[in-house]
Amino acid sequence: MSALITGSVIASFGRHLMVRTAQGAELRARPFGRSLEVVCGDEVRCRIDPRHEEVHVVEVLRRRNALWRANSRGGAEPVVANLTRLLVVLAPLPQPDLFVVDRYLCAATAADVPAALVLNKSDLGVDPELAAELDSYAAAGFPCISCSATSGAGIEGLLAALTPGTRAALVGQSGVGKSSLVRRLLPEAGVAVGELVREEEGRHTTTAARLFDLPQGAALIDSPGVRDFAPAVSGLDERTLGFPEVAQLAAACRFADCRHLREPGCAVRAAAEAGSWNPRRYESYRRLRRLYERLKATRGR
Ligand SMILES: Nc1nc2c(ncn2[C@@H]2O[C@H](COP(=O)(O)OP(=O)(O)O)[C@@H](O)[C@H]2O)c(=O)[nH]1
Ligand SMILES: [Mg+2]
Ligand SMILES: [Zn+2]
């Protein structure tokens, strides 16, 4: 017989995991069985097989929450678990895809995790158009921390958000500076996932994330850059899809089941047309609505 131990998953790359035990040992592990989905941030129970020197995760303890994304079949896949905050990172360069930002925010709302934006590379300057978009986000309840991993400007604002006990995940497009921010906050961090990556060579993997403990008692999860992201259908509020502005405006729609597209008397569409709600955010809502209906249909098949 082998012992069962509990630990935290501090790195995940596909089915390659790093588990930290309560004693602080870091063990390479794999999920036991095909159906067990384990992600960075999970609390797990492991079985150590001393003969084969293998560690198997046999159980994922109940998650407080998780960021769920939709896969191509319309199903839900966890990305990271047990967060207290989602930080969606963007930068003047690469050109921000705000529709991706929006969809991350919707996933955070679905998970009931407070989200904020981090505008990195502030040293490159922020054009008025992007500044106006950031104002819209702030009005919707998503404040923005502006900083530069390179120059260090504004880093104290990011640190202030990482109070003791916080567990925040950095997500966003590749190249926005997520890993650079971790390195700025924790210069000795390096790229510890490298080891896990090599083993997986030649295989298709979709998940890689790494948790770092910060000296002030917060933890930061760095995640791989994405080109696109869609929140899982199952967790989204059918009415609002996770847009706080829709939640607020929809009270004045003529129909209780308004989808805020072509319906007569739609207060959401009216607000976007009048410009009292950012029309780009409304367009984002419409796109997510189309995706939502498509994924739901796929899932139902
Ligand atoms: N100008 C500028 N470049 C940055 C800043 N932060 C990161 N970069 C650069 O952006 C590129 C991508 O950074 P990286 O941390 O790998 O992005 P990630 O894909 O989001 O993890 C690198 O070439 C960094 O040197 C910043 O604050 N200002
Ligand atoms: Mg990175
Ligand atoms: Zn409506």
Side-chain angles (χ1 to χ4, degrees):
M1 257 323 276
S2 52
L4 277 184
I5 51 167
T6 55
S8 311
V9 177
I10 56 164
S12 58
F13 191 90
R15 296 177 67 78
H16 293 272
L17 308 170
M18 190 72 82
V19 174
R20 187 165 60 204
T21 67
Q23 288 72 39
E26 296 187 359
L27 310 171
R28 280 159 176 275
R30 281 170 181 272
F32 186 75
R34 280 277 126 201
S35 60
L36 194 62
E37 284 181 300
V38 190
V39 294
C40 191
D42 270 330
E43 299 296 320
V44 294
R45 224 169 247 136
C46 304
R47 193 195 301 130
I48 300 180
D49 179 343
R51 265 182 318 164
H52 300 94
E53 296 187 339
E54 278 184 324
V55 182
H56 283 127
V57 171
V58 293
E59 185 188 352
V60 175
L61 302 185
R62 183 203 285 269
R63 293 175 177 134
R64 218 172 334 138
N65 56 49
L67 193 72
W68 292 90
R69 77 165 157 224
N71 62 26
S72 53
R73 296 175 306 283
E77 282 174 6
V79 179
V80 284
N82 299 317
L83 305 176
T84 66
R85 202 148 221 247
L86 188 72
L87 297 174
V88 185
V89 185
L90 70 167
L93 267 176
Q95 175 82 33
D97 185 338
L98 297 179
F99 295 102
V100 172
V101 171
D102 292 338
R103 292 199 295 264
Y104 270 120
L105 296 176
C106 291
T109 302
D112 206 16
V113 171
L117 304 186
V118 174
L119 179 84
N120 186 38
K121 311 196 191 183
S122 60
D123 56 291
L124 298 181
V126 178
D127 65 45
E129 204 184 316
L130 180 56
E133 293 287 354
L134 296 175
D135 287 343
S136 293
Y137 284 117
F142 305 112
C144 180
I145 301 161
S146 181
C147 61
S148 167
T150 306
S151 78
I155 288 295
E156 67 286 350
L158 181 56
L159 270 174
L162 299 170
T163 49
T166 298
R167 187 189 269 180
L170 298 171
V171 296
Q173 286 166 261
S174 332
V176 292
K178 298 177 295 296
S179 302
S180 303
L181 287 167
V182 172
R183 275 193 294 273
R184 162 62 69 166
L185 294 171
L186 205 63
E188 67 273 26
V191 264
V193 197
E195 279 178 275
L196 285 169
V197 173
R198 263 197 305 280
E199 269 196 16
E200 194 80 350
E201 226 163 31
R203 277 189 52 197
H204 178 71
T205 52
T206 48
T207 327
R210 179 88 165 92
L211 183 143
F212 298 95
D213 285 306
L214 302 180
Q216 69 272 29
L220 203 51
I221 296 176
D222 187 14
S223 73
V226 297
R227 252 164 302 153
D228 209 352
F229 174 86
V233 162
S234 46
L236 286 177
D237 180 278
E238 169 108 54
R239 291 283 155 71
T240 66
L241 304 184
F243 281 79
E245 304 98 314
V246 174
Q248 215 192 359
L249 293 163
C253 290
R254 185 177 306 162
F255 302 111
D257 61 351
C258 188
R259 291 180 313 149
H260 324 299
L261 299 172
R262 308 265 71 200
E263 291 86 347
C266 174
V268 174
R269 192 180 68 241
E273 280 168 3
S276 54
W277 184 33
N278 184 339
R280 194 208 58 76
R281 283 275 287 169
Y282 177 55
E283 173 56 23
S284 189
Y285 166 82
R286 291 166 53 92
R287 289 189 195 185
L288 182 58
R289 172 61 66 185
R290 286 195 289 270
L291 180 68
Y292 178 83
E293 314 258 319
R294 201 165 64 236
L295 289 174
K296 257 190 115 163
T298 312
R299 204 164 55 123
R301 250 191 260 131

